[in-house]
Amino acid sequence: MKVYFCWLAICIGFTAHSQNTLSIDVAKGKEIINKNIYGHFAEHLGNGIYGGLYVGEKNTTIPNKNGIRTDVLDALKKLKVPVVRWPGGCFADTYHWKDGIGAKNKRPSMLNIWWGNVKEDNSFGTHEFLQLCEMLQAEPYLSGNVGSGTVQEMADWLAYTNYPKGSSPVTDLRATNGRTEPWKVTYWGIGNEAWGCGGNMKPEYYANLYRQYATFLTDGKNRLMRIASGASDGDYNWTEVLMRDIPHHLLDAVALHHYSIINWNKKGSATTFSEEQYFKIMQSALQMNELVEKHSAIMDKYDPQKKVALFVDEWGGWYDVEPGTNPGFLFQQNTMRDAMIAGVTLNIFNNHCDRVKMANLAQMVNVLQSVVLTHQQKIIRTPTYHVMEMFNVHQDATLLPLHITSNNYQFGNQTLPALSASASKDKEGTIHISIVNIDAKQPQNLTLSLSNTHLQNIKGRILTAEKIQQYNSFEQPDLIQPTPFTQFKTSGNEITISMPPFSVIVLAIPPQ
Ligand code: AHR
């Protein structure tokens, strides 16, 4: 009986649509997948910082190191977080960094006008953030205040973090606050969403302001990356004006923001959704490909040598907040649907790594499409966490160009390609292939061919679930997690793979 069931399972596994194909030319790898594509974004928003990353040292029973939650830290370390963008988001253009340094009981409070009008006591400031980055061994990306700040304020922030000791009044202040040596922060965002919450500016006006800010953002020694506040979605004119009007010696990267969303006025529940809503979110997620290609084409026109990078420094799924939570806190659950967003989006970034050099998932903890959710002492690793962990094998590996033909995922009279993939070869010579089947109902068979590769000792991991709406809850935190994947066969230079519906697979092919 058992044998019969096993055979049945294998047969069902391999009974899928017609064959999809994926061919990888292993000899043609050239571009490096910048590890910063696996970056994060942590804003002073809801319980993203307070309660999520930071609980302070006093009045808490939650284990912490200098106020930073050790359970969250341990989870994040496994992701190999390369870079964290902070303190916003919209919050950044209201933030005055000097309010967040020095003795905590002397730091002034402010109202967080963008996110729930709650009191911000500034207990998590520059020192705390940069210490978090040190603990994670991640690069900090500071997002400066253009909307309501000054050039002097941002230049002083740079001096505070980067200038050698004893070189200016702010470096003396840094020493008084317990840090003698500079941190040497490389990534500097000049405002955020300048077209919206960052000041409702026109692109020409922002480009002029950017030129002024960037001129004074220098520390003379270190190679800084100055990042222009970028377009929202398909606002191609924004990118055009920045690339045209900002001299490229002042411009290291242009940002882009795109959220996977059904409708800004009717986002829908994060956990209770129909297949139609799922399909719409997949359409929105896959739109990233077109956005990256069209913004890149404009950048190519002004910068054919690709010296200016594209940083997608906010991306992710956006739904209604969880019932009963503060609408200004953007706390949402995270299902297998989010794993699909993460899988297809990371494949898109990998495949465009010649221009996309950084991306920042919005947001790290407890806000929008988070990798970790917390509730008091409890913590959940979300399906998105698991995709970020499975895919981190691509960090700093060489992209392998691929060609894919995919069946359609059909909903009503609309279609999307069911499969997406990316592949890379790491420094040890291991080839990793990440494949996503977004089809909500159909399994997919795939024939994968690799040139000049010895197919032996292949290891696979899969993330899937019984239902696309499933998620890890505080009661069942490990319901969804990666498991070994064995539904493939090798023959010559081909691998035949059977992928269940809504699944993410990563294969590792060791060197010969
Ligand atoms: O991530 C939430 C918000 O979305 C950010 O603060 C803002 O930049 C964007 O509109």
Side-chain angles (χ1 to χ4, degrees), residues 41 43-45 85 87-93 114-115 192-193 195-198 232 257 259 264 313-315 318 330 361-363 367-368:
F41 168 40
E43 180 167 10
H44 285 238
L45 195 178
R85 177 173 181 252
C90 295
F91 180 79
D93 282 291
W114 290 113
W115 308 117
N192 168 74
E193 297 194 348
W195 42 264
C197 65
S232 168
H257 290 179
Y259 285 95
W264 283 104
D313 59 13
E314 287 186 30
W315 68 272
W318 194 324
L330 309 186
L361 175 64
Q363 300 192 7
V367 178
L368 299 176

Side-chain angles (χ1 to χ4, degrees), residues 273-310:
F273 52 88
S274 62
E275 189 181 345
E276 184 183 3
Q277 288 170 308
Y278 168 66
F279 190 88
K280 283 187 175 155
I281 285 287
M282 285 302 108
Q283 273 177 323
S284 182
L286 287 167
Q287 203 201 345
M288 184 67 88
N289 198 63
E290 176 187 325
L291 293 171
V292 164
E293 288 186 353
K294 289 192 172 163
H295 284 286
S296 297
I298 295 165
M299 296 177 78
D300 286 348
K301 202 165 79 177
Y302 295 93
D303 171 37
Q305 290 180 308
K306 299 188 197 291
K307 289 191 173 152
V308 181
L310 182 62

Side-chain angles (χ1 to χ4, degrees), residues 490-509:
T490 57
S491 161
N493 70 341
E494 284 190 349
I495 312 173
T496 323
I497 304 167
S498 176
M499 290 192 71
F502 55 89
S503 59
V504 179
I505 286 169
V506 176
L507 296 179
I509 306 172

Side-chain angles (χ1 to χ4, degrees), residues 200-260:
N200 282 308
M201 300 173 199
K202 292 187 174 168
E204 291 80 6
Y205 177 74
Y206 172 71
N208 275 340
L209 258 189
Y210 178 97
R211 294 162 66 122
Q212 188 186 357
Y213 271 79
T215 305
F216 298 96
L217 272 188
T218 169
D219 62 9
K221 255 184 151 183
N222 305 300
R223 171 93 180 92
L224 301 181
M225 294 283 287
R226 287 157 300 182
I227 303 130
S229 161
S232 168
D233 307 292
D235 182 356
Y236 299 112
N237 182 50
W238 187 272
T239 302
E240 179 94 37
V241 173
L242 299 194
M243 291 301 291
R244 187 194 65 206
D245 288 4
I246 302 173
H248 291 185
H249 71 277
L250 295 175
L251 183 65
D252 301 288
V254 170
L256 167 67
H257 290 179
H258 173 60
Y259 285 95
S260 300

